[in-house]
Amino acid sequence: MQKRNLKRFLGKFLRQPLYGFKVFIRRLKGYASYHFGEGGALLPEAITLFLTHRCNLRCKMCGQWGESGVTKRMDKDYIREELDFSQYKELVDELAKFKPNITLFGGEPLLYSHCLELIKYIKHKGMHCLMISNGSLFNQYAGEIVNSKLDELNVSLDGKKELHDEIRGMSGLFEKITSGLKRIRQFKKKIKAKKPLVNLQCTITKYNYHHLEGLIDVAYEVGADSLTFHNLIFLGQDLIEKQKEIDKKLLFSSKEWEGFVFEPQINVDELYKKIKSILSKKFPFSVDFYPNFSLRGLREYYNNPSYLPSEYKPRCISPWIVAYIFPDGEVRPCLNFSYSFGNVKKESFLKVWNSHQAVNFRKFLKERKIFPVCVRCTELYRY
């Protein structure tokens, strides 16, 4: 585990000790696969189900639907494609044999018509389930979300009312989210439930880095269990060009990374002062910045065009630990690569997980440690 993540991991472990212990054991197995597996991997710790490409927001910094996002330029039939609920049930039945942690993602996962049924089915099969949502539909589904026994709810917020709505491109959205979260808290209280844990997630951008402390007030207001500030994911066009050489060798496309080509326009010294000010205080919920950098590391991250992580190990181990299953059934090693290990509509997940394509990809990646576009990817810093 990355040393700078220990405090973050321990905080999660204390909130959910049994879950934390299972993650720790699976993580060790993932590291063992990476070092000794010759491209093969033991059963994954986590699987992300990318339920839908569809989203009802147009957030400025989003690589999918934002100002430079790529999904909005894709074929409409591709955007609408989704797995049937019956197909997900078959998949979950198979996954239940080894019980990975399941994350539901999109797009906006609640736009998938069977999202809540799927959560209930995942929980019925005894797996930990987390959903990442923009929160716009919480008022409508608050009671069902609580009754589904969802474990964790990660909610994207960028600031207080006016700022959040401006960044997300929808007037009144902040009120929808916060009132929805309050309804969820009321339903939890009514049935004496502790879950779902509510984790607020804020992406640091040029629009909000001067106003990060505003999210502290919001976390108090909605009764959040944690608040995480994520450093911005961005790339230069030069990294896209370098990545194309990798793409040619593995015969895939990393086109979706093009949605992250922009300048961050963040004053790092000012941001660091803001970080230190927030972290100097104590709150009834956990607060952290991710990735966690020193001032030197933060300057490198935002200001160095030739950046490579120095405070974290510059190698990607994610494809040994997590899989991403897309709406068309393709199993991918990364959210933004088209490379496929196989398709769960044609083969079992376990066959796909260590298919010839999967083994080749892992060997190729391990040999190079990191691909050009990976330098600021969230998963690079997680494992």
Side-chain angles (χ1 to χ4, degrees), residues 181-206:
L181 287 172
K182 289 173 185 175
R183 289 197 72 199
I184 287 172
R185 182 173 58 180
Q186 290 168 358
F187 277 108
K188 285 165 64 176
K189 187 175 181 180
K190 183 177 180 180
I191 65 172
K192 298 180 180 179
K194 293 183 178 181
K195 294 181 178 181
L197 299 179
V198 173
N199 308 311
L200 303 187
Q201 311 282 316
C202 172
T203 299
I204 298 168
T205 68
K206 64 183 179 181

PDB file of all heavy atoms in Angstrom, residues 181-206:
ATOM      1  N   LEU A 181     -30.064  14.494   0.427  1.00  0.00           N
ATOM      2  CA  LEU A 181     -29.208  13.899   1.460  1.00  0.00           C
ATOM      3  C   LEU A 181     -29.850  14.003   2.843  1.00  0.00           C
ATOM      4  O   LEU A 181     -29.720  13.089   3.673  1.00  0.00           O
ATOM      5  CB  LEU A 181     -27.839  14.579   1.466  1.00  0.00           C
ATOM      6  CG  LEU A 181     -26.926  14.226   0.287  1.00  0.00           C
ATOM      7  CD1 LEU A 181     -25.675  15.099   0.290  1.00  0.00           C
ATOM      8  CD2 LEU A 181     -26.529  12.748   0.337  1.00  0.00           C
ATOM      9  N   LYS A 182     -30.547  15.091   3.085  1.00  0.00           N
ATOM     10  CA  LYS A 182     -31.260  15.239   4.370  1.00  0.00           C
ATOM     11  C   LYS A 182     -32.396  14.221   4.469  1.00  0.00           C
ATOM     12  O   LYS A 182     -32.659  13.670   5.552  1.00  0.00           O
ATOM     13  CB  LYS A 182     -31.793  16.663   4.510  1.00  0.00           C
ATOM     14  CG  LYS A 182     -30.701  17.700   4.747  1.00  0.00           C
ATOM     15  CD  LYS A 182     -31.261  19.117   4.698  1.00  0.00           C
ATOM     16  CE  LYS A 182     -30.158  20.148   4.803  1.00  0.00           C
ATOM     17  NZ  LYS A 182     -30.662  21.537   4.649  1.00  0.00           N
ATOM     18  N   ARG A 183     -33.069  13.961   3.362  1.00  0.00           N
ATOM     19  CA  ARG A 183     -34.127  12.939   3.349  1.00  0.00           C
ATOM     20  C   ARG A 183     -33.536  11.553   3.610  1.00  0.00           C
ATOM     21  O   ARG A 183     -34.123  10.755   4.345  1.00  0.00           O
ATOM     22  CB  ARG A 183     -34.856  12.940   2.009  1.00  0.00           C
ATOM     23  CG  ARG A 183     -35.746  14.142   1.780  1.00  0.00           C
ATOM     24  CD  ARG A 183     -36.734  13.873   0.662  1.00  0.00           C
ATOM     25  NE  ARG A 183     -37.761  12.929   1.102  1.00  0.00           N
ATOM     26  CZ  ARG A 183     -38.537  12.233   0.277  1.00  0.00           C
ATOM     27  NH1 ARG A 183     -38.371  12.346  -1.031  1.00  0.00           N
ATOM     28  NH2 ARG A 183     -39.447  11.408   0.740  1.00  0.00           N
ATOM     29  N   ILE A 184     -32.393  11.283   3.024  1.00  0.00           N
ATOM     30  CA  ILE A 184     -31.723  10.009   3.271  1.00  0.00           C
ATOM     31  C   ILE A 184     -31.386   9.879   4.746  1.00  0.00           C
ATOM     32  O   ILE A 184     -31.599   8.824   5.362  1.00  0.00           O
ATOM     33  CB  ILE A 184     -30.449   9.897   2.405  1.00  0.00           C
ATOM     34  CG1 ILE A 184     -30.845   9.666   0.940  1.00  0.00           C
ATOM     35  CG2 ILE A 184     -29.540   8.762   2.889  1.00  0.00           C
ATOM     36  CD1 ILE A 184     -29.688   9.729  -0.038  1.00  0.00           C
ATOM     37  N   ARG A 185     -30.882  10.962   5.343  1.00  0.00           N
ATOM     38  CA  ARG A 185     -30.565  10.943   6.778  1.00  0.00           C
ATOM     39  C   ARG A 185     -31.822  10.702   7.608  1.00  0.00           C
ATOM     40  O   ARG A 185     -31.799   9.952   8.599  1.00  0.00           O
ATOM     41  CB  ARG A 185     -29.908  12.274   7.180  1.00  0.00           C
ATOM     42  CG  ARG A 185     -29.487  12.333   8.645  1.00  0.00           C
ATOM     43  CD  ARG A 185     -28.689  13.589   8.943  1.00  0.00           C
ATOM     44  NE  ARG A 185     -29.436  14.800   8.634  1.00  0.00           N
ATOM     45  CZ  ARG A 185     -28.967  16.034   8.799  1.00  0.00           C
ATOM     46  NH1 ARG A 185     -27.729  16.214   9.256  1.00  0.00           N
ATOM     47  NH2 ARG A 185     -29.696  17.082   8.510  1.00  0.00           N
ATOM     48  N   GLN A 186     -32.940  11.304   7.220  1.00  0.00           N
ATOM     49  CA  GLN A 186     -34.205  11.105   7.940  1.00  0.00           C
ATOM     50  C   GLN A 186     -34.669   9.655   7.861  1.00  0.00           C
ATOM     51  O   GLN A 186     -35.106   9.073   8.859  1.00  0.00           O
ATOM     52  CB  GLN A 186     -35.283  12.041   7.374  1.00  0.00           C
ATOM     53  CG  GLN A 186     -35.067  13.506   7.695  1.00  0.00           C
ATOM     54  CD  GLN A 186     -35.985  14.422   6.890  1.00  0.00           C
ATOM     55  OE1 GLN A 186     -36.765  13.964   6.051  1.00  0.00           O
ATOM     56  NE2 GLN A 186     -35.886  15.724   7.133  1.00  0.00           N
ATOM     57  N   PHE A 187     -34.595   9.064   6.673  1.00  0.00           N
ATOM     58  CA  PHE A 187     -34.988   7.661   6.503  1.00  0.00           C
ATOM     59  C   PHE A 187     -34.084   6.735   7.321  1.00  0.00           C
ATOM     60  O   PHE A 187     -34.551   5.753   7.909  1.00  0.00           O
ATOM     61  CB  PHE A 187     -34.967   7.273   5.025  1.00  0.00           C
ATOM     62  CG  PHE A 187     -36.208   7.652   4.271  1.00  0.00           C
ATOM     63  CD1 PHE A 187     -36.190   8.687   3.355  1.00  0.00           C
ATOM     64  CD2 PHE A 187     -37.398   6.968   4.477  1.00  0.00           C
ATOM     65  CE1 PHE A 187     -37.340   9.049   2.654  1.00  0.00           C
ATOM     66  CE2 PHE A 187     -38.552   7.308   3.787  1.00  0.00           C
ATOM     67  CZ  PHE A 187     -38.523   8.356   2.864  1.00  0.00           C
ATOM     68  N   LYS A 188     -32.789   7.039   7.336  1.00  0.00           N
ATOM     69  CA  LYS A 188     -31.855   6.241   8.144  1.00  0.00           C
ATOM     70  C   LYS A 188     -32.233   6.305   9.621  1.00  0.00           C
ATOM     71  O   LYS A 188     -32.249   5.281  10.331  1.00  0.00           O
ATOM     72  CB  LYS A 188     -30.418   6.742   7.946  1.00  0.00           C
ATOM     73  CG  LYS A 188     -29.799   6.344   6.617  1.00  0.00           C
ATOM     74  CD  LYS A 188     -28.545   7.135   6.312  1.00  0.00           C
ATOM     75  CE  LYS A 188     -27.434   6.879   7.308  1.00  0.00           C
ATOM     76  NZ  LYS A 188     -26.185   7.602   6.932  1.00  0.00           N
ATOM     77  N   LYS A 189     -32.534   7.506  10.073  1.00  0.00           N
ATOM     78  CA  LYS A 189     -32.903   7.703  11.480  1.00  0.00           C
ATOM     79  C   LYS A 189     -34.203   6.974  11.807  1.00  0.00           C
ATOM     80  O   LYS A 189     -34.338   6.349  12.872  1.00  0.00           O
ATOM     81  CB  LYS A 189     -33.054   9.198  11.768  1.00  0.00           C
ATOM     82  CG  LYS A 189     -33.266   9.539  13.230  1.00  0.00           C
ATOM     83  CD  LYS A 189     -33.288  11.045  13.440  1.00  0.00           C
ATOM     84  CE  LYS A 189     -33.482  11.392  14.916  1.00  0.00           C
ATOM     85  NZ  LYS A 189     -33.494  12.867  15.133  1.00  0.00           N
ATOM     86  N   LYS A 190     -35.136   7.019  10.866  1.00  0.00           N
ATOM     87  CA  LYS A 190     -36.452   6.405  11.070  1.00  0.00           C
ATOM     88  C   LYS A 190     -36.350   4.902  11.292  1.00  0.00           C
ATOM     89  O   LYS A 190     -37.047   4.338  12.152  1.00  0.00           O
ATOM     90  CB  LYS A 190     -37.349   6.702   9.864  1.00  0.00           C
ATOM     91  CG  LYS A 190     -38.772   6.184   9.992  1.00  0.00           C
ATOM     92  CD  LYS A 190     -39.593   6.584   8.781  1.00  0.00           C
ATOM     93  CE  LYS A 190     -41.019   6.065   8.887  1.00  0.00           C
ATOM     94  NZ  LYS A 190     -41.833   6.454   7.690  1.00  0.00           N
ATOM     95  N   ILE A 191     -35.479   4.246  10.532  1.00  0.00           N
ATOM     96  CA  ILE A 191     -35.357   2.785  10.668  1.00  0.00           C
ATOM     97  C   ILE A 191     -34.089   2.386  11.447  1.00  0.00           C
ATOM     98  O   ILE A 191     -33.722   1.221  11.473  1.00  0.00           O
ATOM     99  CB  ILE A 191     -35.383   2.096   9.286  1.00  0.00           C
ATOM    100  CG1 ILE A 191     -34.164   2.482   8.454  1.00  0.00           C
ATOM    101  CG2 ILE A 191     -36.676   2.409   8.549  1.00  0.00           C
ATOM    102  CD1 ILE A 191     -34.027   1.681   7.169  1.00  0.00           C
ATOM    103  N   LYS A 192     -33.444   3.405  12.046  1.00  0.00           N
ATOM    104  CA  LYS A 192     -32.241   3.189  12.865  1.00  0.00           C
ATOM    105  C   LYS A 192     -31.131   2.482  12.076  1.00  0.00           C
ATOM    106  O   LYS A 192     -30.514   1.524  12.544  1.00  0.00           O
ATOM    107  CB  LYS A 192     -32.589   2.396  14.127  1.00  0.00           C
ATOM    108  CG  LYS A 192     -33.581   3.123  15.038  1.00  0.00           C
ATOM    109  CD  LYS A 192     -33.906   2.321  16.276  1.00  0.00           C
ATOM    110  CE  LYS A 192     -34.902   3.073  17.167  1.00  0.00           C
ATOM    111  NZ  LYS A 192     -35.274   2.313  18.392  1.00  0.00           N
ATOM    112  N   ALA A 193     -30.905   2.978  10.863  1.00  0.00           N
ATOM    113  CA  ALA A 193     -29.862   2.418   9.998  1.00  0.00           C
ATOM    114  C   ALA A 193     -28.636   3.329   9.992  1.00  0.00           C
ATOM    115  O   ALA A 193     -28.758   4.553  10.016  1.00  0.00           O
ATOM    116  CB  ALA A 193     -30.391   2.264   8.576  1.00  0.00           C
ATOM    117  N   LYS A 194     -27.468   2.727   9.965  1.00  0.00           N
ATOM    118  CA  LYS A 194     -26.226   3.500   9.883  1.00  0.00           C
ATOM    119  C   LYS A 194     -25.782   3.727   8.441  1.00  0.00           C
ATOM    120  O   LYS A 194     -24.965   4.600   8.161  1.00  0.00           O
ATOM    121  CB  LYS A 194     -25.119   2.786  10.651  1.00  0.00           C
ATOM    122  CG  LYS A 194     -25.348   2.744  12.160  1.00  0.00           C
ATOM    123  CD  LYS A 194     -24.169   2.074  12.868  1.00  0.00           C
ATOM    124  CE  LYS A 194     -24.388   2.072  14.379  1.00  0.00           C
ATOM    125  NZ  LYS A 194     -23.235   1.434  15.095  1.00  0.00           N
ATOM    126  N   LYS A 195     -26.338   2.914   7.544  1.00  0.00           N
ATOM    127  CA  LYS A 195     -25.928   2.995   6.153  1.00  0.00           C
ATOM    128  C   LYS A 195     -27.083   3.430   5.262  1.00  0.00           C
ATOM    129  O   LYS A 195     -28.239   3.248   5.622  1.00  0.00           O
ATOM    130  CB  LYS A 195     -25.381   1.631   5.693  1.00  0.00           C
ATOM    131  CG  LYS A 195     -24.098   1.252   6.413  1.00  0.00           C
ATOM    132  CD  LYS A 195     -23.570  -0.077   5.933  1.00  0.00           C
ATOM    133  CE  LYS A 195     -22.250  -0.420   6.629  1.00  0.00           C
ATOM    134  NZ  LYS A 195     -21.697  -1.709   6.157  1.00  0.00           N
ATOM    135  N   PRO A 196     -26.739   4.043   4.115  1.00  0.00           N
ATOM    136  CA  PRO A 196     -25.388   4.178   3.565  1.00  0.00           C
ATOM    137  C   PRO A 196     -24.569   5.270   4.240  1.00  0.00           C
ATOM    138  O   PRO A 196     -25.119   6.299   4.625  1.00  0.00           O
ATOM    139  CB  PRO A 196     -25.647   4.546   2.099  1.00  0.00           C
ATOM    140  CG  PRO A 196     -26.949   5.292   2.139  1.00  0.00           C
ATOM    141  CD  PRO A 196     -27.761   4.599   3.184  1.00  0.00           C
ATOM    142  N   LEU A 197     -23.263   5.019   4.372  1.00  0.00           N
ATOM    143  CA  LEU A 197     -22.363   6.089   4.770  1.00  0.00           C
ATOM    144  C   LEU A 197     -22.330   7.103   3.636  1.00  0.00           C
ATOM    145  O   LEU A 197     -22.297   6.728   2.464  1.00  0.00           O
ATOM    146  CB  LEU A 197     -20.958   5.547   5.020  1.00  0.00           C
ATOM    147  CG  LEU A 197     -20.805   4.499   6.140  1.00  0.00           C
ATOM    148  CD1 LEU A 197     -19.359   4.046   6.236  1.00  0.00           C
ATOM    149  CD2 LEU A 197     -21.289   5.057   7.470  1.00  0.00           C
ATOM    150  N   VAL A 198     -22.358   8.364   3.980  1.00  0.00           N
ATOM    151  CA  VAL A 198     -22.375   9.420   2.960  1.00  0.00           C
ATOM    152  C   VAL A 198     -20.993  10.062   2.876  1.00  0.00           C
ATOM    153  O   VAL A 198     -20.495  10.629   3.845  1.00  0.00           O
ATOM    154  CB  VAL A 198     -23.433  10.491   3.288  1.00  0.00           C
ATOM    155  CG1 VAL A 198     -23.324  11.667   2.328  1.00  0.00           C
ATOM    156  CG2 VAL A 198     -24.839   9.881   3.218  1.00  0.00           C
ATOM    157  N   ASN A 199     -20.376   9.908   1.705  1.00  0.00           N
ATOM    158  CA  ASN A 199     -19.039  10.442   1.467  1.00  0.00           C
ATOM    159  C   ASN A 199     -19.123  11.549   0.426  1.00  0.00           C
ATOM    160  O   ASN A 199     -19.470  11.282  -0.726  1.00  0.00           O
ATOM    161  CB  ASN A 199     -18.102   9.337   0.966  1.00  0.00           C
ATOM    162  CG  ASN A 199     -18.114   8.119   1.866  1.00  0.00           C
ATOM    163  OD1 ASN A 199     -17.988   8.228   3.070  1.00  0.00           O
ATOM    164  ND2 ASN A 199     -18.283   6.938   1.275  1.00  0.00           N
ATOM    165  N   LEU A 200     -18.843  12.778   0.827  1.00  0.00           N
ATOM    166  CA  LEU A 200     -18.838  13.892  -0.123  1.00  0.00           C
ATOM    167  C   LEU A 200     -17.498  13.919  -0.853  1.00  0.00           C
ATOM    168  O   LEU A 200     -16.441  13.769  -0.240  1.00  0.00           O
ATOM    169  CB  LEU A 200     -19.071  15.224   0.593  1.00  0.00           C
ATOM    170  CG  LEU A 200     -20.357  15.360   1.414  1.00  0.00           C
ATOM    171  CD1 LEU A 200     -20.504  16.790   1.917  1.00  0.00           C
ATOM    172  CD2 LEU A 200     -21.583  14.949   0.607  1.00  0.00           C
ATOM    173  N   GLN A 201     -17.558  14.113  -2.169  1.00  0.00           N
ATOM    174  CA  GLN A 201     -16.358  14.125  -3.007  1.00  0.00           C
ATOM    175  C   GLN A 201     -16.296  15.450  -3.770  1.00  0.00           C
ATOM    176  O   GLN A 201     -17.244  15.794  -4.474  1.00  0.00           O
ATOM    177  CB  GLN A 201     -16.398  12.977  -4.016  1.00  0.00           C
ATOM    178  CG  GLN A 201     -16.734  11.613  -3.424  1.00  0.00           C
ATOM    179  CD  GLN A 201     -15.547  10.994  -2.716  1.00  0.00           C
ATOM    180  OE1 GLN A 201     -14.425  11.017  -3.219  1.00  0.00           O
ATOM    181  NE2 GLN A 201     -15.787  10.438  -1.538  1.00  0.00           N
ATOM    182  N   CYS A 202     -15.181  16.166  -3.619  1.00  0.00           N
ATOM    183  CA  CYS A 202     -15.025  17.448  -4.297  1.00  0.00           C
ATOM    184  C   CYS A 202     -13.790  17.409  -5.185  1.00  0.00           C
ATOM    185  O   CYS A 202     -12.687  17.126  -4.710  1.00  0.00           O
ATOM    186  CB  CYS A 202     -14.885  18.578  -3.277  1.00  0.00           C
ATOM    187  SG  CYS A 202     -14.454  20.177  -4.005  1.00  0.00           S
ATOM    188  N   THR A 203     -13.954  17.677  -6.473  1.00  0.00           N
ATOM    189  CA  THR A 203     -12.822  17.791  -7.388  1.00  0.00           C
ATOM    190  C   THR A 203     -12.305  19.223  -7.351  1.00  0.00           C
ATOM    191  O   THR A 203     -13.064  20.179  -7.575  1.00  0.00           O
ATOM    192  CB  THR A 203     -13.232  17.424  -8.830  1.00  0.00           C
ATOM    193  OG1 THR A 203     -13.694  16.078  -8.861  1.00  0.00           O
ATOM    194  CG2 THR A 203     -12.050  17.575  -9.771  1.00  0.00           C
ATOM    195  N   ILE A 204     -11.026  19.383  -7.068  1.00  0.00           N
ATOM    196  CA  ILE A 204     -10.411  20.704  -7.002  1.00  0.00           C
ATOM    197  C   ILE A 204     -10.198  21.220  -8.426  1.00  0.00           C
ATOM    198  O   ILE A 204      -9.566  20.562  -9.251  1.00  0.00           O
ATOM    199  CB  ILE A 204      -9.065  20.633  -6.257  1.00  0.00           C
ATOM    200  CG1 ILE A 204      -9.281  20.166  -4.812  1.00  0.00           C
ATOM    201  CG2 ILE A 204      -8.354  21.988  -6.289  1.00  0.00           C
ATOM    202  CD1 ILE A 204      -7.999  19.800  -4.085  1.00  0.00           C
ATOM    203  N   THR A 205     -10.724  22.385  -8.724  1.00  0.00           N
ATOM    204  CA  THR A 205     -10.598  22.984 -10.053  1.00  0.00           C
ATOM    205  C   THR A 205     -10.271  24.467  -9.928  1.00  0.00           C
ATOM    206  O   THR A 205     -10.282  25.041  -8.835  1.00  0.00           O
ATOM    207  CB  THR A 205     -11.910  22.854 -10.852  1.00  0.00           C
ATOM    208  OG1 THR A 205     -12.912  23.688 -10.220  1.00  0.00           O
ATOM    209  CG2 THR A 205     -12.405  21.413 -10.896  1.00  0.00           C
ATOM    210  N   LYS A 206     -10.027  25.086 -11.067  1.00  0.00           N
ATOM    211  CA  LYS A 206      -9.768  26.531 -11.088  1.00  0.00           C
ATOM    212  C   LYS A 206     -10.988  27.316 -10.604  1.00  0.00           C
ATOM    213  O   LYS A 206     -10.870  28.470 -10.174  1.00  0.00           O
ATOM    214  CB  LYS A 206      -9.386  26.979 -12.495  1.00  0.00           C
ATOM    215  CG  LYS A 206     -10.486  26.793 -13.539  1.00  0.00           C
ATOM    216  CD  LYS A 206     -10.016  27.202 -14.927  1.00  0.00           C
ATOM    217  CE  LYS A 206     -11.111  27.001 -15.979  1.00  0.00           C
ATOM    218  NZ  LYS A 206     -10.650  27.371 -17.344  1.00  0.00           N
TER     219      LYS A 206
END
